[in-house]
Amino acid sequence: MRALRMLAMLAGMGVASSPLVAQMSVGGGALYASLSGSDFDGTDAGFGLDGQVRFPLASSFTLGLGGQFTSHGLQGLSDNLKVLGIFAEPRLMFATPGSLKPYLAARGGYLHESVSSGGSSASASGWYAGGGGGLLIAVGPMVSVDLGALFSTASFGDFSVNGTSVANTSTSGTVLSVRGGILVQLGK
């Protein structure tokens, strides 16, 4: 037990002294999402925004918690499908010399899609999970441009139309997300 406490203390000292994990960070950016699969036929790729708060967990590992919103055109409707989500995104950072820092990422979370047209509304909730990677480009001591791409699986339950659940209307498919934004370290 004593050896385990000593190991935990040494690991904590190493993490705390690392410049990569010295601060929490916040970020936001533009998001492009393309939904694929037969269940999403007639759904256009969409644009939106995301934002997150990132927490340092180890010298090369951070966890982001955030939200995202995209809007997608639908064939035959003048109103767009709106997709709102909350997510967790762990990242494994690779230390490299210079201002470029590549990373691997996973993202998973809850999604809610909705559309209103002609006095009726439909919505469904679901989940998504996937992985990808990206690149942080330092543009200042506390600011980085954050570029990334993720490939995910998404699955929604049955739609509710005007508050009534409609059986056998669940959808699933894949999502390719490409994003670009800014990540700002908080603190010093």
Side-chain angles (χ1 to χ4, degrees):
M1 184 61 126
R2 183 175 178 199
L4 186 57
R5 275 187 268 155
M6 180 64 94
L7 182 59
M9 184 180 80
L10 289 173
M13 288 172 55
V15 169
S17 65
S18 171
L20 287 177
V21 297
Q23 296 102 359
M24 185 172 64
S25 55
V26 295
L31 181 65
Y32 166 88
S34 176
L35 307 169
S36 300
S38 61
D39 286 350
F40 294 121
D41 285 348
T43 305
D44 297 335
F47 292 92
L49 302 169
D50 78 351
Q52 61 184 293
V53 177
R54 300 206 64 80
F55 301 93
L57 300 178
S59 62
S60 60
F61 191 69
T62 63
L63 176 65
L65 300 175
Q68 64 185 49
F69 171 81
T70 55
S71 181
H72 305 263
L74 293 172
Q75 289 180 1
L77 290 178
S78 59
D79 295 310
N80 283 357
L81 174 72
K82 295 169 182 61
V83 181
L84 182 65
I86 57 173
F87 62 83
E89 183 185 287
R91 287 184 182 175
L92 176 62
M93 312 283 288
F94 297 97
T96 59
S99 62
L100 303 178
K101 303 289 183 217
Y103 62 84
L104 292 177
R107 185 182 277 199
Y110 166 85
L111 292 173
H112 181 78
E113 61 181 350
S114 63
V115 64
S116 296
S117 183
S120 294
S121 63
S123 64
S125 296
W127 59 269
Y128 70 109
L135 183 66
L136 290 176
I137 305 166
V139 294
M142 307 293 278
V143 179
S144 295
V145 172
D146 185 358
L147 305 173
L150 296 163
F151 186 75
S152 307
T153 297
S155 180
F156 293 93
D158 287 339
F159 272 91
S160 175
V161 178
N162 294 330
T164 303
S165 183
V166 180
N168 302 315
T169 57
S170 62
T171 56
S172 63
T174 58
V175 181
L176 173 63
S177 301
V178 179
R179 68 171 304 279
I182 299 292
L183 188 66
V184 178
Q185 289 182 341
L186 303 176
K188 294 187 192 182

